[in-house]
Amino acid sequence: MKEISEEHQKRRTNLTIADLRWLEKVEEKILAQISNGQFKLRDLAQDLYLSTRRLQQKIKQLTGQTPKAYQRQIKLQAAKKILESGQVQTVSELSYQLGYEDQHYFSCLYKKQFGITPKEELSQ
């Protein structure tokens, strides 16, 4: 499993195997579309054969997060792995790879999640 927040981890320990598999499927769908900045919640719901409302309810129930926050967390974890692996040279390249058109917005999200900017991460 991906690195996740402590609260999210506690929540996951109380989930059934079916719930965990479903969340893994959701993560796979999100990661498959990671560079598509136009991939929206309704697209994810369609891919999972659910209504948007049901998807919202289920993700909130299982993770304690909104679907948007959950998707953002998955993308930021992927960003961290990409940075740590040295696959990119610039923050601009990384933000583009993740479907963020605004590099500054992406950097702010990253810093909020990890306490360090992606640029600082690159220089380590």
Side-chain angles (χ1 to χ4, degrees), residues 2 8 10 14 18 25 38 57 59 63 101-102 121:
K2 295 163 187 48
H8 189 183
K10 286 179 190 173
N14 296 326
K25 187 175 180 179
Q38 302 304 311
Q57 292 170 335
I59 289 177
T63 67
E101 292 180 22
D102 185 342
E121 189 90 56

Side-chain angles (χ1 to χ4, degrees), residues 1 5 16-17 34 37 39 52 69 78 94 99 103 107-108 123:
M1 288 277 154
S5 69
T16 66
I17 291 172
I34 200 160
F39 187 69
T52 302
L94 177 62
Q103 176 185 331
S107 292
C108 289
S123 42

Side-chain angles (χ1 to χ4, degrees), residues 20 22 25 32 38 42 59 61-62 94 99 110 117-118 121:
L20 289 171
W22 187 82
K25 187 175 180 179
Q38 302 304 311
R42 70 177 177 277
I59 289 177
Q61 173 193 1
L62 297 178
L94 177 62
Y110 192 93
T117 66
E121 189 90 56

